[in-house]
Amino acid sequence: MSVVDQNLKRSPTRKHDGVTSVEAEATVEVATASRADAKPARKPRKATSGSASASAAAAAASAAGAAPAPATVGHGPLPAGAPAIDAIVDPAVFREAILRKLLYAVGKDSSRASEHDWLVATILALRDGIVDRWIDSTRRTYASGKKRVYYLSLEFLIGRMLFDALGNLGLIETAREALAPLGVDLDRLRQAEPDAALGNGGLGRLAACFIESLSSLKLPAYGYGIRYDYGLFKQAVSDGWQREIPEDWLSFGNPWEFERPEVAYEIGFGGHVVDEPRDDGSVRRVWHPGEKVLAAAYDTPVVGWRGAHVNTLRLWAAKAPHPIALEAFNHGDYVGAMAQRARIEAISRVLYPSDATPAGYELRLRQEYFFTAASLQDLVRRHVQAFGTLENLGEKAAIQLNDTHPAIAVAELMRLLIDVHGFAYDDAWRLTRQTLNYTNHTLLPEALETWSVQLMERLLPRHMEIIYRINWHHLEAVSRGATQDQDLIRSVSLIDESHGRRVRMGHLAFLGSNKVNGVSALHTELMRETVFADLHALFPDRIVSKTNGVTFRRWLQQCNPALTSLLVETLGERVLDDPGALRGLEAHADDPGFQARYAAVKHANKEALAEIIAQRTGWRVDPTAMFDVQIKRIHEYKRQLLNVLETVALYHAIKANPERSWPKRVKIFAGKAAASYTQAKLIIKLAHDVARVINTDPVVGDRLKLVFLPNYNVSLAEAIIPAADLSEQISTAGMEASGTGNMKLALNGALTIGTLDGANVEIREHVGEENIVIFGLTADEVTAKRKAGFSPDERSTRLTRVLYEIETGVFSPEDPTRFDPIIEALNRNDHFLVAPDFDAYYEAQREVDALWADQPTWWRMAILNTARIGWFSSDRTISEYAAEIWRAQPL
């Protein structure tokens, strides 16, 4: 019997606040949540030394040198005996655990089990061991009484989790040995696991890196998001055109998660707000929603490095309070009986539904409020349970809003404090400001969300009242500041009156937060100068910089095991724990023997990627060629178009001088365009049409190939990044907030060609300007060029010819006008300054050609990129958040 099974057998069932829960719940929390919300504290009260706070008592005992008393949650100490993880270090024990799960949890005999059955059994056997650490981590969190971090993100691009967990626990080879005698290949199981595609790109992957680093640094934390049924779409490519297919990652269930049916919160929409008298004669505002949705919790343990701590990722699914309208069903309206359920459950169906229609637009807002409200109710309930009061919320909880999607948290937390827990407005505002923090990820206007006042008043009437009140106090304070500047007042107002009255969610998050951070030094400075310039002038200490990072556990150790082995052999095992230890590689950068071994690792990774390219696209590429990689969301500001245009120009140059010794190059693209982003989808089609011409030209041969790998996701990134020689980071300067792909690629030894945008600026500082290729306009020059304008007459002959061939159908003879929208956008205003940067980009690529031809120099530069990129670890980023924003300490 496993430890978990023993726990469940021993634990009685008890009732808390009307909700039945099992004490041995893996999160070790008394489930006080109910469908009507946790019981509010009738009066705010301050915690005292005599309060019944088990965590405070334990902390005091610990400080006094005594053994801390067990927390008053759960059922007592863990059962005696070796924890499951320690036991399954033995491959034979792990094998037996897998076989038991296969039989008793999956219900299959080993002779009949499918690959997926073995995957599930392996995950469940591993999960049992993780749960022991999970329980222990949660108990230690309660006992310590330390501040908790709550990370709210609409996206968590987790990817596959099996190797993530095995790697962090040091069990990859153990699992391989356990499965081999059963005739099961661990690497095949790895490929069978679906990607949890709960994110679109950098924003969601950053959240996944952060939640892992929070566990690795032993910071008590919760991640909160939405359990999308379909996540981001699966990208199919038909004749060069992107097609969106549902990504049904839950089709076989999710063995990592624990459903929490006893943890469900009512989320309201619509209705009306009325005055209701209190016993003391005062009046309070009461919201009566017209529609109620249940937010049901699903928990996934997130294990940190070496298994030292396990945090929780809690995702919410939308459920109907009544699954069927029985009366309608009994009257024969079978479809109508399910209509309300379908409407409600659509909230958690798909990540980023198209907002091109009024219904889709409203659904986006419903999604954002749904997960934010559920998360805040949950953390407030947990806080009251642990500390008995909300007076110390800001001292014991730090909430991080990942971009503007959860910005409604400002109004929702105010509503909970005022309407549910009886706080006065000023006290509620103080607590809200102490607790919330906001990360801005973009300066693009379309990403700084605004919502129409009309929709907000209809869907969230009480929140709109609170926003009006916040804005009134805010503008009163601005007016008292000896200014009657109406332009300033309009600029800093939460309501934008110039575009049909819209609520500025970025402004709301800014006002309601203790700290507002950018995600690179350049991005932070541009925030101060552009989108939040006037707010920054009013609150000059609020904006801070926290440059993004990536978890090296996944983006080096897991995705590039051969390079990791070389690093450990060269530098010792401390390189696995300390990214700063990579600096030791500098001493080997000029060693021809080490260069050869480093290059051999890269070549093997390229051979593996070449096979994937052949399987997915049908194109055969030479792994001895330079692999020139641009992998990211398809967007005009990321300038995949600039890359394609340069590819055509290079094609012309090779055709014009075929006798020249051109270095072999494979241009590799991957990324998804938003379903409604017509121009981005057209760029994908252009890439395919150009590839069709170049890749079949016998004159060019293997000297130049272009491939587009469909359905870019975390797992595909893990194959591409270790094989990349050149990293394309060519966004229009001033438009990429940070980027994290640039960090992952440099870590794995790819040289960067890029503009001085986002984290490229800091990467150049760390790796050395001689080890990166920078081109193009700076952010200041971009601003000046946009003001001055750029005429098509200023284009070089080289670019003019490229655009002429695209416009006249050289690459699309069956439809010569296909790419007219691209040409028109470049002729009309060229907002992303493709043409002004084209020649500089072309010349920078020829500099790359020269570097590639000098292989000792190339490998020296690649090794130094790996050696000097250690600062870009997400552990460093999270440590900075903890020390300077959250004021949180590890256990």
Side-chain angles (χ1 to χ4, degrees):
M1 183 179 292
S2 72
V3 173
V4 172
D5 293 336
Q6 294 174 37
N7 290 350
L8 291 173
K9 184 174 180 180
R10 295 177 186 180
S11 300
T13 299
R14 300 201 329 206
K15 289 184 71 87
H16 301 279
D17 291 338
V19 179
T20 300
S21 68
V22 177
E23 277 194 9
E25 178 184 1
T27 50
V28 202
E29 292 180 7
V30 179
T32 57
S34 76
R35 298 189 175 192
D37 196 6
K39 290 183 178 179
R42 291 177 182 264
K43 284 187 177 181
R45 56 185 176 86
K46 295 182 179 179
T48 65
S49 58
S51 66
S53 170
S55 55
S62 177
T72 57
V73 292
H75 66 279
L78 289 174
I85 286 295
D86 295 341
I88 63 175
V89 167
D90 181 344
V93 175
F94 199 178
R95 185 181 310 120
E96 181 62 27
I98 292 169
L99 287 169
R100 286 178 61 81
K101 287 299 178 183
L102 182 69
L103 183 61
Y104 295 112
V106 182
K108 288 289 188 71
D109 179 78
S110 59
S111 64
R112 300 289 184 180
S114 68
E115 193 167 70
H116 185 267
D117 295 332
W118 285 113
L119 171 67
V120 172
T122 302
I123 290 173
L124 292 177
L126 179 62
R127 193 184 74 166
D128 276 1
I130 292 173
V131 166
D132 287 320
R133 303 290 176 93
W134 197 14
I135 290 174
D136 181 61
S137 297
T138 306
R139 286 189 173 157
R140 286 187 291 112
T141 297
Y142 272 96
S144 73
K146 288 190 174 181
K147 193 172 195 176
R148 297 192 193 190
V149 175
Y150 298 98
Y151 196 83
L152 274 62
S153 179
L154 198 63
E155 299 183 32
F156 280 95
L157 192 52
I158 307 166
R160 293 168 174 158
M161 295 183 63
L162 177 59
F163 265 57
D164 205 25
L166 287 173
N168 277 5
L169 293 167
L171 293 175
I172 291 178
E173 292 309 313
T174 299
R176 199 182 303 280
E177 291 179 35
L179 289 165
L182 302 172
V184 179
D185 184 343
L186 178 63
D187 293 307
R188 284 181 59 86
L189 289 193
R190 181 184 192 178
Q191 299 303 317
E193 183 180 11
D195 270 60
L198 307 182
N200 184 32
L203 179 81
R205 186 52 232 173
L206 182 78
C209 285
F210 278 8
I211 197 70
E212 192 271 356
S213 278
L214 283 162
S215 291
S216 291
L217 295 175
K218 297 193 286 188
L219 284 159
Y222 257 75
Y224 282 116
I226 294 181
R227 183 183 181 267
Y228 302 101
D229 291 340
Y230 297 103
L232 191 63
F233 61 85
K234 182 184 294 184
Q235 182 192 52
V237 176
S238 176
D239 190 29
W241 293 104
Q242 173 179 295
R243 299 285 182 262
E244 298 87 33
I245 300 171
E247 180 71 87
D248 194 4
W249 72 287
L250 289 172
S251 56
F252 288 95
N254 179 10
W256 288 108
E257 70 185 7
F258 291 83
E259 184 178 0
R260 304 293 187 207
E262 76 282 3
V263 181
Y265 296 94
E266 281 190 350
I267 311 299
F269 294 99
H272 59 282
V273 185
V274 298
D275 288 331
E276 290 188 2
R278 291 191 177 100
D279 293 340
D280 62 2
S282 62
V283 174
R284 67 176 185 139
R285 298 289 286 167
V286 177
W287 178 29
H288 295 281
E291 178 187 14
K292 293 182 179 179
V293 176
L294 290 181
Y298 291 79
D299 290 351
T300 299
V302 180
V303 61
W305 178 233
R306 300 198 187 278
H309 186 78
V310 184
N311 281 319
T312 302
L313 175 61
R314 175 161 283 183
L315 302 178
W316 302 105
K319 306 289 185 183
H322 305 290
I324 189 171
L326 192 57
E327 184 176 353
F329 189 89
N330 288 335
H331 281 86
D333 185 7
Y334 306 130
V335 174
M338 303 292 292
Q340 182 63 7
R341 176 179 176 178
R343 169 180 161 78
I344 287 173
E345 295 185 355
I347 291 174
S348 57
R349 282 282 185 247
V350 177
L351 170 67
Y352 293 143
S354 173
D355 57 1
T357 65
Y361 177 70
E362 178 177 324
L363 179 56
R364 288 280 286 271
L365 177 57
R366 286 164 65 89
Q367 282 186 330
E368 293 180 9
Y369 176 66
F370 164 80
F371 105 91
T372 302
S375 303
L376 290 180
Q377 288 186 51
D378 192 53
L379 70 89
V380 164
R381 182 268 305 171
R382 184 179 300 106
H383 186 90
V384 172
Q385 172 190 316
F387 301 106
T389 178
L390 288 173
E391 284 283 1
N392 62 352
L393 182 65
E395 300 167 25
K396 295 295 184 180
I399 302 171
Q400 192 70 37
L401 308 179
N402 192 27
D403 216 10
T404 53
H405 308 126
I408 194 65
V410 177
E412 173 65 6
L413 185 54
M414 288 289 287
R415 185 190 72 82
L416 290 174
L417 292 172
I418 296 170
D419 295 359
V420 180
H421 294 277
F423 281 80
Y425 176 88
D426 289 343
D427 292 333
W429 184 242
R430 171 181 54 82
L431 285 173
T432 296
R433 282 277 338 282
Q434 288 175 351
T435 307
L436 295 178
N437 301 282
Y438 161 51
T439 300
N440 173 274
H441 281 277
T442 183
L443 307 176
L444 294 176
E446 65 266 27
L448 281 173
E449 287 183 320
T450 63
W451 296 105
S452 76
V453 167
Q454 182 181 24
L455 175 63
M456 289 281 288
E457 288 179 334
R458 176 170 60 82
L459 209 60
L460 301 171
R462 178 57 179 146
H463 298 77
M464 204 57 232
E465 288 186 350
I466 292 170
I467 290 170
Y468 283 138
R469 186 169 182 182
I470 293 170
N471 201 38
W472 183 83
H473 283 284
H474 165 54
L475 296 183
E476 279 288 301
V478 172
S479 297
R480 287 196 302 271
T483 179
Q484 295 298 321
D485 185 341
Q486 294 303 306
D487 289 337
L488 173 64
I489 291 173
R490 278 192 290 269
S491 171
V492 300
S493 173
L494 297 184
I495 311 299
D496 181 358
E497 305 282 354
S498 62
H499 298 91
R501 301 195 72 228
R502 303 181 68 82
V503 182
R504 294 165 163 153
M505 302 307 287
H507 281 40
L508 179 64
F510 188 106
L511 280 183
S513 293
N514 179 45
K515 292 294 182 183
V516 177
N517 72 280
V519 289
S520 72
L522 175 62
H523 170 238
T524 303
E525 193 55 40
L526 290 173
M527 282 171 56
R528 294 176 177 138
E529 295 174 359
T530 58
V531 292
F532 294 132
D534 290 329
L535 286 171
H536 172 62
L538 297 173
F539 307 99
D541 298 327
R542 194 162 300 184
I543 296 179
V544 296
S545 179
K546 292 288 165 280
T547 299
N548 286 343
V550 301
T551 172
F552 286 20
R553 267 84 59 179
R554 182 180 283 259
W555 295 110
L556 176 63
Q557 295 168 30
Q558 285 180 49
C559 76
N560 203 343
L563 179 57
T564 302
S565 295
L566 179 59
L567 296 176
V568 170
E569 182 182 335
T570 306
L571 303 174
E573 287 212 1
R574 74 188 186 95
V575 76
L576 301 177
D577 299 280
D578 177 15
L582 289 171
R583 277 278 181 178
L585 278 187
E586 291 185 16
H588 303 272
D590 291 306
D591 178 358
F594 185 80
Q595 286 185 0
R597 297 174 69 194
Y598 189 95
V601 168
K602 179 70 74 173
H603 183 76
N605 292 333
K606 290 166 70 174
E607 287 183 322
L609 180 58
E611 285 302 311
I612 293 173
I613 290 171
Q615 292 167 11
R616 299 197 182 188
T617 70
W619 298 116
R620 286 284 173 186
V621 299
D622 184 352
T624 67
M626 180 203 310
F627 279 16
D628 177 350
V629 167
Q630 188 171 17
I631 46 173
K632 49 187 76 237
R633 179 166 51 97
I634 309 298
H635 196 290
E636 287 173 281
Y637 90 83
K638 294 181 183 288
R639 298 204 294 192
Q640 286 92 353
L641 177 60
L642 176 61
N643 194 347
V644 173
L645 297 180
E646 191 275 335
T647 304
V648 175
L650 177 57
Y651 170 63
H652 290 156
I654 296 172
K655 291 272 286 184
N657 191 1
E659 303 306 318
R660 178 177 165 182
S661 180
W662 294 96
K664 294 179 182 179
R665 185 188 292 248
V666 179
K667 293 267 196 174
I668 300 171
F669 293 83
K672 297 177 181 178
S676 59
Y677 196 167
T678 304
Q679 197 79 339
K681 293 169 116 175
L682 195 58
I683 292 171
I684 293 175
K685 175 59 175 171
L686 175 62
H688 281 86
D689 283 359
V690 169
R692 182 180 57 189
V693 172
I694 292 176
N695 295 357
T696 57
D697 191 322
V699 174
V700 173
D702 283 342
R703 285 175 288 189
L704 181 62
K705 298 288 185 186
L706 188 157
V707 295
F708 187 99
L709 281 163
N711 201 37
Y712 182 59
N713 57 18
V714 174
S715 297
L716 184 55
E718 290 172 345
I720 296 174
I721 287 171
D725 292 306
L726 187 66
S727 165
E728 298 272 356
Q729 308 298 330
I730 60 176
S731 53
T732 310
M735 301 197 74
E736 183 75 86
S738 170
T740 54
N742 46 7
M743 303 167 191
K744 298 164 194 168
L745 286 154
L747 175 64
N748 283 272
L751 305 192
T752 300
I753 181 170
T755 53
L756 284 176
D757 195 26
N760 289 354
V761 176
E762 288 151 290
I763 288 176
R764 183 179 68 161
E765 293 171 0
H766 283 268
V767 305
E769 62 181 54
E770 71 280 6
N771 297 309
I772 188 172
V773 179
I774 296 297
F775 74 94
L777 301 172
T778 65
D780 288 341
E781 290 168 343
V782 164
T783 300
K785 176 61 72 175
R786 282 178 175 156
K787 289 180 179 177
F790 184 83
S791 168
D793 295 336
E794 299 177 58
R795 294 171 184 165
S796 65
T797 303
R798 179 181 292 115
L799 178 58
T800 300
R801 180 185 175 186
V802 170
L803 296 178
Y804 175 78
E805 290 193 352
I806 292 172
E807 187 175 14
T808 56
V810 169
F811 299 99
S812 56
E814 71 281 9
D815 184 5
T817 64
R818 176 179 295 154
F819 301 113
D820 283 358
I822 290 176
I823 302 300
E824 288 170 9
L826 292 175
N827 288 338
R828 188 169 59 251
N829 59 13
D830 195 5
H831 180 72
F832 301 101
L833 301 182
V834 172
D837 268 349
F838 175 83
D839 289 319
Y841 178 54
Y842 183 87
E843 292 305 323
Q845 287 285 22
R846 304 294 73 77
E847 179 185 342
V848 170
D849 286 344
L851 290 171
W852 182 256
D854 181 359
Q855 286 286 286
T857 298
W858 182 278
W859 292 117
R860 180 183 187 277
M861 294 171 67
I863 292 166
L864 289 175
N865 268 264
T866 298
R868 295 174 178 176
I869 209 71
W871 186 79
F872 294 93
S873 164
S874 55
D875 290 355
R876 184 269 313 159
T877 310
I878 289 299
S879 294
E880 291 181 3
Y881 272 98
E884 300 166 23
I885 295 180
W886 303 328
R887 307 293 182 186
Q889 296 180 339
L891 292 175

